Amino acid sequence: MVATAPVPGGARVDMSTRLGAFQMPDPVLTASGCAAAGRELAPFLDLNAIGAVVTKSIMLNPRSGRPTPRMAETPSGMLNSIGLQGPGIEEFIAKDLRWLRERGIRTVVSIAGGSVQEYQKLAQRLRHEPGIAALEVNISCPNVESRGQVFACDPLSAGSVVQVVRRHTSPDVPVLAKLSPDVTDIVAIAKSVLDAGADGLSLINTLLGMVIDPDTMRPMLGGMTGGLSGPAIRPVAVRAVWQVHAAYPRVPILGMGGIRTGQDAFEFLLAGASAVSVGTAVFNDPHAPARISAELHDILAARGFARLSDAIGLGHTMQARHVAAMDARRAAEQEALG
Ligand code: SIN
């Protein structure tokens, strides 16, 4: 269906969507690392109304993170080098998960580890905790057992992590693998984690970057390199979602990377995302997830969509139609020329 006219009678668009077995009434989630476990956003936002809170990636043990400074602004986005600071899984469960559960907030727990065994322990520890709608497996971490190679950059390591997490997670809880754009072929990594049992994909994590301070003449971040986020990475993210959806059209994708407006979110849907996460935008607009959802609703309504789900991957259909029309026109022109 290609919608072009407003929904008749100003009816509301059905904004519900799903990531595997996880159904939500709204397609906009927070992004891991940008909203902690939701508490700080609660004064600004009805956290029960958005798709879900995606928590900051939690590791097995408490972690103080990388040296400061940990954030640097660039003319084209924000660099962060937090280093997965966090309280460790036990405190997370006792405080953060409990806080989210008591309020009935849909929660996607993001986990990160330095070894396959650490991911396994995290999955085992979370398995019987109620109130987890999905697990997001952040594999953009160095593998401490393999020369510091980032899991998400190697199909075999990425697949090994997802396999153990899937095996030790309740079948009712979808496992989403969060991939890095810092690879030559993101579809190959997607294949590996899907073969290993991932139910869906989160695309994309930040891009590795660096800024050098011209005054001190050395890297601005204490950890030297950091992850670039914000609108500058949006075309990279849309490209990744497009490529993976083209290869695996039935796989649910949580799209993210520089989403600031409803129009940005619409672009991700057209590329093939079933839902979107909003990250960096909340730092200067804590209402952003709700605002973006409302803007997206109005865009869909103005274009005559009755359901958000009809827009998922529609860019591919439109492109195929366009190519077919161009081919038909060229063929007709050739024929006319004799
Ligand atoms: C961090 O805590 O350094 C960010 C982790 C990530 O980008 O996955």
Side-chain angles (χ1 to χ4, degrees):
M1 187 220 59
V2 178
T4 50
V7 180
R12 273 198 67 77
V13 178
D14 175 0
M15 296 291 277
S16 64
T17 188
R18 55 191 301 161
L19 293 165
F22 173 31
Q23 300 200 13
M24 59 205 110
D26 187 88
V28 183
L29 293 75
T30 63
S32 176
C34 300
R39 219 182 254 116
E40 291 82 355
L41 278 190
F44 304 97
L45 205 57
D46 178 0
L47 294 174
N48 294 95
I50 63 171
V53 167
V54 183
T55 63
K56 165 83 181 153
S57 300
I58 192 72
M59 299 192 78
L60 203 54
N61 299 312
R63 210 179 137 86
S64 55
R66 292 177 100 183
T68 57
R70 291 173 169 185
M71 284 170 120
E73 284 200 48
T74 81
S76 47
M78 191 185 87
L79 271 188
N80 90 81
S81 162
I82 309 300
L84 294 163
Q85 179 188 344
I89 191 68
E90 293 306 330
E91 191 176 323
F92 169 81
I93 290 172
K95 291 195 178 152
D96 298 324
L97 192 55
R98 184 170 166 201
W99 186 89
L100 289 156
R101 188 163 51 214
E102 282 173 356
R103 283 152 188 82
I105 296 165
R106 286 174 290 279
T107 301
V108 176
V109 175
S110 172
I111 57 171
S115 65
V116 174
Q117 206 198 10
E118 225 173 290
Y119 282 98
Q120 176 175 328
K121 285 185 181 162
L122 284 161
Q124 284 171 322
R125 183 63 188 86
L126 288 167
R127 185 174 180 122
H128 299 293
E129 286 299 321
I132 301 177
L135 278 191
E136 186 177 78
V137 189
N138 181 356
I139 47 177
S140 299
C141 319
N143 179 347
V144 293
E145 288 164 349
S146 177
R147 291 169 287 118
Q149 187 177 36
V150 173
F151 287 103
C153 296
D154 174 53
L156 281 180
S157 309
S160 316
V161 169
V162 170
Q163 192 173 40
V164 296
V165 173
R166 184 58 281 173
R167 191 182 303 143
H168 292 281
T169 300
S170 159
D172 313 334
V173 175
V175 169
L176 310 174
K178 186 168 185 178
L179 305 192
S180 166
D182 291 334
V183 293
T184 311
D185 183 0
I186 198 159
V187 175
I189 309 283
K191 177 180 187 324
S192 179
V193 296
L194 291 169
D195 288 349
D199 303 284
L201 302 167
S202 292
L203 301 174
I204 56 173
N205 208 323
T206 53
L207 280 92
L208 195 64
M210 181 189 248
V211 272
I212 296 181
D213 184 335
D215 292 325
T216 62
M217 297 184 284
R218 57 182 173 74
M220 236 176 218
L221 292 171
M224 294 205 288
T225 58
L228 183 68
S229 62
I233 75 165
R234 196 168 58 245
V236 178
V238 171
R239 179 269 299 167
V241 172
W242 180 281
Q243 288 179 325
V244 172
H245 182 81
Y248 300 104
R250 299 170 72 87
V251 169
I253 296 174
L254 175 58
M256 69 205 72
I259 296 174
R260 266 197 314 194
T261 65
Q263 179 125 329
D264 300 340
F266 185 48
E267 207 184 331
F268 276 79
L269 295 184
L270 295 173
S274 296
V276 295
S277 270
V278 173
T280 307
V282 300
F283 290 120
N284 68 4
D285 176 10
H287 307 96
R291 173 182 54 76
I292 289 167
S293 175
E295 289 171 3
L296 177 61
H297 174 273
D298 290 351
I299 289 167
L300 292 169
R303 289 187 163 269
F305 287 92
R307 290 176 297 271
L308 170 136
S309 56
D310 289 335
I312 298 170
L314 186 60
H316 295 258
T317 313
M318 298 303 280
Q319 177 64 8
R321 282 187 196 171
H322 171 72
V323 170
M326 296 301 284
D327 287 350
R329 200 168 109 189
R330 260 193 299 274
E333 282 167 1
Q334 289 291 338
E335 205 175 302
L337 286 172

